[in-house]
Structure formats: C-alpha cells, structure tokens
Amino acid sequence: MIKITFLGTSASIPTFERNHPAIALEYFDKDYFLLLFDCGENTQLQLMRAGISFMKINIILITHWHADHFAGLIPLLQTMNLEGRKEKLIIIAPEIEEKIELIKKLYYYDIKFKIETIDAINENKLYENKYFEIYSIKVKHTVPSVAYAFKEKDRWKINEEKLKKLNLKKGKWLDKLKKYGKININNKEIKIEDIADIKKGKKIVYSGDCEYDENLAEFAKDCDILIHEATFLEKDKKEYSHSSALDAAKIAKLANAKRLILTHISRRYHENYNELLEEAKSVFENVEIAKDLFQIILK
Amino acid sequence: MIKITFLGTSASIPTFERNHPAIALEYFDKDYFLLLFDCGENTQLQLMRAGISFMKINIILITHWHADHFAGLIPLLQTMNLEGRKEKLIIIAPEIEEKIELIKKLYYYDIKFKIETIDAINENKLYENKYFEIYSIKVKHTVPSVAYAFKEKDRWKINEEKLKKLNLKKGKWLDKLKKYGKININNKEIKIEDIADIKKGKKIVYSGDCEYDENLAEFAKDCDILIHEATFLEKDKKEYSHSSALDAAKIAKLANAKRLILTHISRRYHENYNELLEEAKSVFENVEIAKDLFQIILK
C-alpha cells in the first residue's frame, strides 16, 4: 500500500491554509519506507499533524534550492539529531553535495547520523531497493530543478488455474522462472506470464516547480498519479517559469496519467480554487487540487 | 509605545502550541520601528497571525546559529524579496558576515534589497537611532551566543511650574540646555533637571539561550522587562547549557528587573507550566510564562 500525504501545498509565499511544499510518501509492505519530497518551512510540524514520524524518514528528495522547497530541512535535521537518530538518511537533490556542506557550516549541530547524498541531476536511476526505484529528470525552471518518479516494481502472482492447465505443480523451479522470466521444462519453454499474472507496480511522478515541458509527459508516461505544480491560471501566467492548471492538465493528458493532483497553488486563488480546477478539467477530467493534509491511498 | 509579541516560545523542538523562538518588538513614536529577535521556523506565518507586516522589519537580531533560532530567516528573506522589498534590512548576529554569505550561497534568490550586517560579538553599542539603542553581551551556551538589550533613550519634559519658580520663560535656550545638560543664565547655572522632568527610557533584555550567568544580571540592570529562557525545571536541568525557571528568576532578582517573562519552554512541560511558574515565583514574584502570540504593551 502507498499513502501520499500533502504536507504543504502553497506556492512560494505560504498562507494560513497552505504551508510551503512538502509531500510524504509512505510505502507499506513487509518493510516500511518513508520518503519526503521537498521540505518547505514547517514540514516537521506538518508531519506531526499528519501523525507521520519524521524519525522514520528514509529518503528526502529536494527538487530545487528555492527556500520554499528546502527551508524546513535544516530544522528537521536538527530535530532528528536531538531525538537521537542513528539510522542513515539519504538526501537526493540537484547539487546536493555542495548544499549539504553549506548547511553543515551554517548551523551548529554536529549531525550524529550518516547522511548519504545522491545528486539528482544525473538523471539516471537514482535509487533502487527490493520494492521500488526512483528516477529524476531535469525540468525547466529558473534554477537547476528536477521532477521525481517513484516506481514500484512489477510483481508476479502465480495463477493456480494457469498452472493446472499446463499440468504443472508449484516448486523451487518457480524461483528460477521469476528470476529469468522463462525456463525450460520437459523441453518446453515456459514464460512467467504463462503461469502468473502481473501486478503492475504503481508509478507516481512529482513535477516540482517547472514550466510546461513535454519531456516531463514522457517521463510520467502511464503513471498512476501525476502531482504537478499549478501556480497560476493560464491568464495570470507570466514570465515566472511556472505552470498553469492548463499546462499541468496537458502534461497529464499527454502522459496518459490516471489521475492528476495540482499543488503549489498561488495564494491569489485563495477563494477561487474552482477556476483552477475547471481550467484543468477542460483538458483532463480526473483532476483534484491538493490541500494541506490531503491524503491518497493506493492499493 | 512599545509592543512586544511572542511569535514562538518553544525550546529546540516545536510543538502544536509553541513555534520556534521569535519575538517581535514594535516601537511606536513619530516613526515606527519593527525589530525581530530570533527567527525560528514559521516566523513569517506567525507574523501574519499577529497582524505584523514582515515587510516593515527594520532589524533582525539572531542570538546564535542553532536552527531553532534562525531557520525562519532564509524563507523570510525570500518572501521579502518576492514581495518587492527595497528598503535596507539590518541583521545583527554573532558571526553574521560568514553566515549571511553561506545563506546567499545556499539558496537561489538574488536578494534585491541591501542587507547591512552588524556583528554582535563585539559587545559594544551595536545600533543607535534618535529613539533607542541596542547592546549585546556574550552569554554561556554551547556555541557563540549573545543576549540583547533594547534601550529606549531617556526623555526630558519641560515642567512649567519649575520654570515659573525660576522666573524663566521658554525659548531657544532650551535647545542648548537639552544638548549640554546645563547652561548659564544671568551668571547662574541651570541644570536640565531644574526645569524638566525625566521620562526614563524603557529597557528590555532578551537572554537568548544561556545557562545561569550573573554577567547577564548586570547587563539587564533595572530593566523593565527581562525575557529569559527557562527550558527546564531545576530538577530536570542537566548538562545542556540552558537555564531553569529558577535560574531565570535569580537573574531577574539580581538585575532588579521589573518584570520577568519566561520563554524557550521544553515540550516536556506541555501540561505542567504551573510548576515552572511556581519555581520562578519562589524567588521573583512578577513573572509570567510566554505563549505564542502573547503580547506586552509598554507605555
């Protein structure tokens, strides 16, 4: 199960309703993983409000180094330290090595746990474990910025009926089949799809801050959830290197996304969210506007 | 008139009730001045809640570079910038030049307004204008830290009855008298106190983070308000370089302060503030515990 919690959904200036950007992604299986996408001011308190333990964060992913996307990182690291964190923390971001050195010089706590840094600009697969992978892609913004994709691995589930039809019984040979995708039994090639059903892994993409960019649609291809910034209405969009609700919807459509969530909403739409939603819906129907502490569960 | 607003009153880990340390001091006269003492996470939102415009801040004073005392500075500078600030901002702190350079490198906004830095470690008078002066003193903490004193200038108000008794009339000579403190009229020395009453300027002292230190009592001598950290009860105080409520009260008594406000309260006393208050009252009667958005007005 995957649970996504929007901790902050404002654009660069926070409001009483919307804190600076941060999104928690919890992955529940035999193991538990907690990922944090961006870490704006007030993220530690928003995590407390959401009932998510910041001590359990495994990976923090920063899209770019504007203060609204990272200012909560410094006090969060301090609090983890004060609470006696021992576990390694992975931080992924563009220019991360330089930035983490600056952060360490800026403030006075010796960080007592290991921080592993992964530079997000290289655009390869950035991280992988048994359950999921993380990718990044450069996006168009005023400063080096990336979007992230969380990609759960596909799983095969043995289909008893298919086995029966082929006159096969469960056994150790299945491990081999899972490993290699095909296997020879009695001189007959058996493919995994012959005896199992695939459970497609979930794919979640977060744009960070960016202007309209079709490369992002390619990156987000067939995703279950596209979380895209929508700072403005199309009519208010100027030279800001941000997206409108319309832009976000076009990307969702091009990507064939299942569901679009708009975030990074300018305070000017404080009483006017419906216009943003309508603008997006004119192109892509399955769209919602995130608000702080809004949650999505994927099973 | 002076209005003090406590924006954040927590110790190093914030709670739902208490944000990280920050105190606004507004000075109302023919001119308006806004000073901010410390700038923990969430200060910009707390200023909005208090109805105080962060655009009008003239001086930010940081006591030391632990994240709970400065993490709100970076997003606040970004917001001032986005809102089009043009006016100079003065930032006073220990090691300020080095730190402001790190902050500028860490994040990506070109700050479009002038930042004047004043190093707080030198312990002289740090700032002076027509109405008030600011001083700092080193305090004992784990890292270079200071306390600050805000000292309003004394004012003389002509006493008509005193003038009458001396058979004197108002005139340009009064300006000279105000300037020099005394003047000769008809071979007789007139002192300013002979014809005027003094209105003593208010003195407000903020300890920042520190352990018990009698030098601070000297620095806070006869102050109107001593804002002192009281992280712990005496029985819970360990090797943390922080003060107990008892420590704070002893300093207030030694200093002959008029009023003591405790702040920087550990979350462990969440439902137990009364014990802190009682501990302080055993030594110094006129004491209160600050909470977020608590205000004091001095006339």
Side-chain angles (χ1 to χ4, degrees), chain A residues 72-89:
Chain A
L73 180 62
I74 302 171
L76 181 60
L77 292 176
Q78 177 171 305
T79 299
M80 285 176 171
N81 214 33
L82 288 167
E83 295 279 31
R85 182 178 181 120
K86 297 279 179 293
E87 299 75 24
K88 183 181 78 175
L89 176 71

Side-chain angles (χ1 to χ4, degrees), chain A residues 124-212:
Chain A
N124 292 318
K125 190 195 292 177
L126 301 173
Y127 173 88
E128 176 175 11
N129 66 23
K130 202 167 132 187
Y131 304 102
F132 59 83
E133 298 165 341
I134 295 167
Y135 297 83
S136 71
I137 186 175
K138 269 189 201 172
V139 292
K140 292 179 185 167
H141 192 44
T142 51
V143 303
S145 303
V146 298
Y148 288 109
F150 170 95
K151 206 173 159 344
E152 187 186 21
K153 290 182 177 177
D154 295 341
R155 293 184 187 202
W156 293 99
K157 203 184 163 197
I158 303 302
N159 181 323
E160 304 274 355
E161 281 188 21
K162 285 184 178 175
L163 268 184
K164 217 171 166 182
K165 270 189 189 163
L166 292 168
N167 245 335
L168 291 166
K169 279 184 186 166
K170 281 185 181 178
K172 287 234 165 178
W173 63 275
L174 279 170
D175 295 340
K176 249 190 195 164
L177 179 60
K178 276 184 191 168
K179 193 169 172 186
Y180 299 107
K182 55 188 179 180
I183 196 174
N184 272 313
I185 297 181
N186 305 330
N187 285 330
K188 200 182 154 192
E189 188 181 83
I190 306 282
K191 287 185 187 150
I192 193 158
E193 51 266 41
D194 297 336
I195 58 105
D197 300 322
I198 189 170
K199 184 181 179 274
K200 198 98 180 99
K202 302 293 182 193
K203 181 176 174 183
I204 296 152
V205 172
Y206 169 49
S207 71
D209 284 6
C210 62
E211 58 185 78
Y212 180 81

Side-chain angles (χ1 to χ4, degrees), chain B residues 215-262:
Chain B
N215 289 328
L216 180 60
E218 187 56 40
F219 181 71
K221 199 74 194 160
D222 297 326
C223 66
D224 294 272
I225 308 235
L226 173 61
I227 302 165
H228 200 293
E229 75 125 298
T231 311
F232 301 115
L233 281 170
E234 188 64 21
K235 69 178 171 65
D236 300 324
K237 202 176 71 177
K238 283 172 193 144
E239 78 287 30
Y240 294 115
S241 298
H242 285 290
S243 295
S244 66
L246 188 68
D247 290 332
K250 283 179 181 170
I251 296 296
K253 193 179 178 185
L254 261 175
N256 189 38
K258 289 196 184 61
R259 188 174 175 187
L260 170 63
I261 314 290
L262 304 180

Side-chain angles (χ1 to χ4, degrees), chain A residues 12 15 41-42 44 49 65-68 70 75 78 82-83 95 99 105-109 143 267, chain B residues 12 16 41-42 44-45 65-68 70 75 78 82-83 95 99 105-109 143 267:
Chain A
S12 47
T15 69
E41 187 168 25
N42 221 14
Q44 65 176 308
R49 283 200 181 95
W65 294 92
H66 277 155
D68 49 322
F70 81 84
Q78 177 171 305
L82 288 167
E83 295 279 31
E95 308 166 277
K99 299 298 183 183
K105 279 184 197 159
L106 183 59
Y107 91 119
Y108 259 110
Y109 272 98
V143 303
R267 64 180 170 181
Chain B
S12 46
F16 296 147
E41 189 169 22
N42 222 15
Q44 64 177 309
L45 265 177
W65 294 93
H66 276 154
D68 50 323
F70 81 84
Q78 177 171 306
L82 288 168
E83 295 279 30
E95 308 164 276
K99 299 299 183 184
K105 279 183 197 159
L106 182 58
Y107 92 119
Y108 259 110
Y109 272 99
V143 302
R267 64 180 170 182

